[in-house]
Amino acid sequence: MAGEVLVVAEQVNSQVANVTLELLGEGKKLARKLGSPLSCFVIGHNMEAAVDAVIRAGAEKVYLADHPELAEYKTLHYRRVILDELSSWATPPHTLLMGSTTTGRDLAPRVAAFFETGLTADTIELDIGPYEHTSGIDQTKIGYFPECLYASRPSFGESLKARILGPWKDPQMATIRPGVFAKPEMLTEKPEGVEIKKVAINFQPSDYRITIKETLRELEGKIDITAADVIVAGGYGLGSADGVNLLKDLAACFENSVVGASRKIVDLGWMTYPYQVGQTGKTVRPKIYIACGISGALQHRVGMQKSELIIAINRDPDAPIFSFADQGIVGDVYHVIPEMIKQLQEKNTSKLAELKVK
Amino acid sequence: MNKDLDIYVLIKQVPDTRSKAGVNPDGTIDRAKAGKMLNPFDAFALQAGLNAKKMGGPNSRLFAVTMGPPPAIDILYQTLEHGADATCILSDRRLAASDTLATAYALCRTLEYLFKKNGRKADLIFCGLQTTDGDTAQVGPEISERLDFTQVTYCEDFSISDNLLHAKKIIEGGTQLVSAELPALVTIANSYTKLKFKSLRGAQFVQDVKRASKEEQAKYVEIIDLDKCEADEMRCGLNGSPTIVSKTWKIGVVGGNCKMHQGKAASELVSEVFKDAVMLKEFVKI
Ligand SMILES: Cc1cc2nc3c(=O)[nH]c(=O)nc-3n(C[C@H](O)[C@H](O)[C@H](O)COP(=O)(O)OP(=O)(O)OC[C@H]3O[C@@H](n4cnc5c(N)ncnc54)[C@H](O)[C@@H]3O)c2cc1C
């Protein structure tokens, strides 16, 4: 039988990160396909509420490492408890999932390198399916594998999306950005009989080579574009950093709205990373997404295609964004956006008038 | 004063996405048409290496290392212009189609070969946070696991005292100050200091090296293969990669039912869209 589907939980101040819950939701589907249990590795200190949350999100077995030294994420300490525990298993997990956060990207490659197993970064789709390896110099790799982890991600190369798999060695690993999968329905009551295994903790002197001096959590985490109903996003077509003001003015016309950005303009420093939408930024699902001067590259599209209504403004009628937007305006952002603002303000006045009549 | 430090910077040549050549509007790359450049993230790592060298004792050394086809030697010359002391490229056909694990293995073999040659292990290894063509950020941590180095990822700033690296790093929703014992592997975020301009002297030096004899050149740009660094070919390239790309798709037009508005004055286009997009009304601010 295939091994477990294991999600390594992420926590801040003993609270489970959303990405962990999202991975449990998606992990459950994989576990059902494999006929394996869905388990969750919880690491931290004072983790009772966290354990409760992961169980209500679908974990059927919990591995718990609770220790004051683990209160905050530390590469070598976290690495130690995971490697010690997994090394003691007769059957390794079939699948191991972590968030593609600064933490997951620090830890997952170390685990993968230790087990010499494959790791797919920034996955946007997960599934279980067969694979037949028919040729290659390494004869030992040839064979039919009925149950592989399929991890798909946009690729930089000639084609647009690539399915990556590695059935030769378990655990088959992937990291996934927050927001890619929907949060599962949380059970209101904790189901009975979920096994909570306290894992052995044996830190080695070498684990103390890294120490945390100070942790500052601030603003950046508070900017959360995923909660907005309306996102006015800009791309390189804005022409310069000043163009961002245009976005802000348009966004100001809507309730619960925020501005967003393509990676190109984040890389250029016109906007900051918390506003980036896409494969390596945020995945958003607003009611309305207005894309201004964004070409619609796949890496951008995967972060916003689930928006309810997509309006695209681009001066190139062949821009890829028009292949998946709902409403397309072929025109210059510097003509179209001011016109939008003007008409919205008129609407606003007429709405106000209406209200007054009532 | 700090002890002498041996510092290594790991860099990669990637397709040039700054120019339009070879870059398709859908974000895909025509590798044949695209130019080549130093991975932009690695420029920050190079600057970090240069700064670290100044923090070390007077006999500190900076080495740049890459893996790739022979044209990648260009980026090694670039590091020499900026002040690297010597460089090395691992180039071998058997490395083709390496995934991150196989890449980390091959680079570790190269590093261990260099540690032996240079008489001691690295004190510091700097990598760019990630590459622009793979974007995994995995190779650095996979190397530190293999070498049993401490690790600081997403590093924005650092100093060195005694045997410790003091670093400011990005974490979820904030930053953290950490101290890591040397030897350490550090991945540098693009919020670090930009790479300074190369010096005239550096440029002149590289001109001289390029004109020098093969043996003289090899002192500054050493080219090695898998045999030279005693790497097991079964652990490299496609053989040594635990992952494989089993399928690729062109994601074409999904619905293809975008309602297009064009060829009219902006005012007309906008009012058309507002008429169609009924939902918009709900969210207009009063
Ligand atoms: C591994 C990887 C991960 C990535 N992750 C992300 C990600 O998370 N998010 C992301 O966005 N990108 C990401 N990218 C980058 C992505 O491939 C594109 O390069 C990027 O999205 C392009 O940004 P853009 O649309 O702003 O710029 P461009 O592609 O340059 O498009 C600009 C558009 O503006 C239009 N335009 C120009 N002037 C005007 C004008 N005056 N009025 C109207 N239209 C105008 C042009 O016709 C063009 O379509 C990633 C790439 C890689 C390789």
Side-chain angles (χ1 to χ4, degrees):
Chain A
M1 195 186 95
E4 300 175 7
V5 172
L6 179 64
V7 173
V8 176
E10 198 169 303
Q11 56 95 15
V12 174
N13 299 331
S14 306
Q15 238 196 324
V16 187
N18 279 338
V19 67
T20 301
L21 305 176
E22 293 158 13
L23 292 186
L24 286 166
E26 192 65 16
K28 186 77 147 236
K29 297 179 198 161
L30 305 178
R32 287 303 82 92
K33 285 193 181 161
L34 289 167
S36 303
L38 172 69
S39 52
C40 186
F41 208 130
V42 177
I43 308 171
H45 188 43
N46 296 329
M47 299 305 285
E48 295 75 18
V51 168
D52 203 72
V54 301
I55 292 174
R56 286 191 294 113
E60 292 152 334
K61 192 166 181 190
V62 175
Y63 299 92
L64 175 63
D66 192 320
H67 190 282
E69 203 63 64
L70 298 170
E72 275 204 72
Y73 171 72
K74 278 187 262 170
T75 310
L76 299 178
H77 288 86
Y78 274 54
R79 168 193 173 278
R80 175 71 62 195
V81 293
I82 293 174
L83 298 187
D84 277 359
E85 174 62 21
L86 296 190
S87 300
S88 74
W89 294 13
T91 311
H94 174 279
T95 291
L96 199 163
L97 306 176
M98 290 192 208
S100 188
T101 58
T102 49
T103 304
R105 289 177 125 209
D106 189 82
L107 182 60
R110 288 206 72 132
V111 175
F114 180 85
F115 290 113
E116 307 226 337
T117 194
L119 170 61
T120 304
D122 298 339
T123 305
I124 55 165
E125 271 172 40
L126 291 169
D127 203 356
I128 300 288
Y131 172 65
E132 185 162 22
H133 195 69
T134 50
S135 64
I137 309 172
D138 189 349
Q139 294 288 319
T140 61
K141 278 190 170 179
I142 289 173
Y144 178 74
F145 305 90
E147 293 172 328
C148 315
L149 175 69
Y150 287 174
S152 303
R153 72 188 302 252
S155 77
F156 185 75
E158 299 62 35
S159 26
L160 283 172
K161 199 162 80 177
R163 173 187 294 162
I164 298 170
L165 46 82
W168 299 282
K169 184 99 188 245
D170 288 349
Q172 301 174 40
M173 294 180 60
T175 62
I176 297 95
R177 294 258 169 186
V180 169
F181 297 120
K183 224 158 116 177
E185 293 260 344
M186 302 282 282
L187 298 172
T188 40
E189 283 197 28
K190 205 165 81 172
E192 295 290 310
V194 175
E195 186 192 341
I196 301 172
K197 182 186 170 193
K198 291 216 163 87
V199 308
I201 295 177
N202 288 306
F203 297 130
Q204 302 297 312
S206 64
D207 297 335
Y208 293 86
R209 286 177 293 169
I210 307 176
T211 48
I212 297 175
K213 298 295 173 200
E214 198 180 342
T215 302
L216 310 150
R217 280 185 212 282
E218 11 101 6
L219 293 170
E220 209 165 291
K222 294 211 183 93
I223 300 167
D224 182 13
I225 64 168
T226 62
D229 284 325
V230 181
I231 297 180
V232 181
Y236 192 58
L238 292 176
S240 73
D242 291 339
V244 176
N245 293 325
L246 207 54
L247 296 184
K248 288 184 183 157
D249 292 345
L250 179 54
C253 300
F254 298 102
E255 302 278 3
N256 189 21
S257 63
V258 71
V259 290
S262 75
R263 164 146 154 195
K264 200 156 174 178
I265 72 168
V266 170
D267 286 349
L268 286 166
W270 298 357
M271 288 178 79
T272 56
Y273 179 71
Y275 296 99
Q276 184 184 315
V277 173
Q279 183 198 356
T280 47
K282 296 281 181 349
T283 300
V284 297
R285 302 153 201 260
K287 295 281 191 302
I288 299 165
Y289 191 90
I290 307 180
C292 311
I294 293 177
S295 60
L298 181 69
Q299 295 89 356
H300 187 80
R301 173 174 156 188
V302 296
M304 44 66 80
Q305 61 190 356
K306 289 185 184 141
S307 309
E308 226 165 281
L309 171 69
I310 300 171
I311 301 174
I313 308 165
N314 197 302
R315 67 174 178 203
D316 174 7
D318 297 322
I321 189 115
F322 292 132
S323 70
F324 59 94
D326 300 297
Q327 296 283 334
I329 302 181
V330 180
D332 190 313
V333 286
Y334 284 91
H335 299 144
V336 177
I337 298 179
E339 187 57 38
M340 280 188 159
I341 295 169
K342 189 173 142 220
Q343 293 196 19
L344 286 168
Q345 280 166 350
E346 279 164 11
K347 265 201 177 48
N348 189 351
T349 341
S350 63
K351 230 179 177 179
L352 267 180
E354 245 173 64
L355 281 177
K356 274 190 193 140
V357 171
K358 278 182 196 158
Chain B
M1 179 154 52
N2 285 322
K3 62 171 190 175
D4 291 333
L5 299 172
D6 265 9
I7 302 152
Y8 289 73
V9 181
L10 303 184
I11 59 176
K12 187 184 181 193
Q13 194 178 46
V14 298
D16 188 346
T17 44
R18 292 166 307 183
S19 64
K20 284 254 182 295
V23 183
N24 304 320
D26 61 7
T28 58
I29 291 287
D30 188 337
R31 282 184 193 258
K33 278 198 214 132
K36 299 267 189 251
M37 63 174 180
L38 172 67
N39 173 37
F41 288 94
D42 297 345
F44 295 98
L46 175 58
Q47 187 58 50
L50 292 164
N51 292 349
K53 187 180 163 184
K54 284 192 201 136
M55 296 173 194
N59 297 314
S60 296
R61 298 182 289 185
L62 177 64
F63 304 100
V65 178
T66 191
M67 171 177 138
I73 288 173
D74 274 358
I75 58 170
L76 293 181
Y77 276 118
Q78 238 173 295
T79 67
L80 288 172
E81 287 176 333
H82 284 276
D85 295 291
T87 68
C88 178
I89 178 169
L90 173 66
S91 198
D92 197 308
R93 282 177 182 281
R94 292 170 287 179
L95 290 165
S98 294
D99 70 2
T100 60
L101 194 82
T103 302
Y105 168 76
L107 282 171
C108 278
R109 293 310 312 156
T110 308
L111 286 166
E112 275 161 353
Y113 161 80
L114 292 169
F115 296 167
K116 212 152 132 198
K117 182 181 153 202
N118 294 329
R120 60 193 197 88
K121 221 163 72 169
D123 298 292
L124 278 161
I125 299 176
F126 289 101
C127 304
L129 177 63
Q130 59 199 35
T131 60
T132 51
D133 62 344
D135 213 290
T136 70
Q138 284 168 195
V139 173
E142 287 184 335
I143 288 175
S144 55
E145 177 64 27
R146 277 188 193 282
L147 296 176
D148 190 26
F149 277 29
T150 61
Q151 151 183 326
V152 177
T153 51
Y154 290 89
C155 176
E156 290 195 294
D157 199 7
F158 66 89
S159 64
I160 296 162
S161 69
D162 300 323
N163 203 37
L164 287 177
L165 172 89
H166 307 284
K168 178 173 165 223
K169 63 166 288 176
I170 304 171
I171 56 170
E172 288 312 291
T175 55
Q176 201 166 53
L177 304 179
V178 300
S179 292
E181 278 179 28
L182 303 186
L185 182 141
V186 186
T187 74
I188 300 289
N190 53 354
S191 37
Y192 187 71
T193 324
K194 275 218 172 80
L195 182 60
K196 304 224 164 64
F197 287 111
K198 62 189 178 195
S199 67
L200 270 176
R201 219 176 55 194
Q204 185 58 50
F205 171 69
V206 165
Q207 286 308 316
D208 294 344
V209 174
K210 283 183 173 167
R211 272 193 295 259
S213 67
K214 280 260 175 295
E215 289 109 57
E216 187 64 15
Q217 268 181 15
K219 279 193 207 158
Y220 299 102
V221 183
E222 188 182 9
I223 305 170
I224 64 168
D225 61 8
L226 292 181
D227 304 322
K228 184 88 182 179
C229 66
E230 296 172 54
D232 175 0
E233 68 171 11
M234 293 311 273
R235 296 178 71 181
C236 297
L238 200 56
N239 290 327
S241 296
T243 61
I244 190 168
V245 176
S246 74
K247 186 178 163 186
T248 57
W249 298 260
K250 276 249 185 257
I251 308 183
V253 183
V254 245
N257 40 19
C258 178
K259 181 144 186 212
M260 298 295 283
H261 306 271
Q262 57 188 312
K264 294 178 196 155
S267 58
E268 271 176 80
L269 298 177
V270 169
S271 51
E272 277 180 22
V273 169
F274 285 175
K275 210 178 316 150
D276 286 342
V278 191
M279 212 172 98
L280 216 67
K281 268 199 204 129
E282 291 172 43
F283 298 96
V284 177
K285 207 182 243 168
I286 307 179

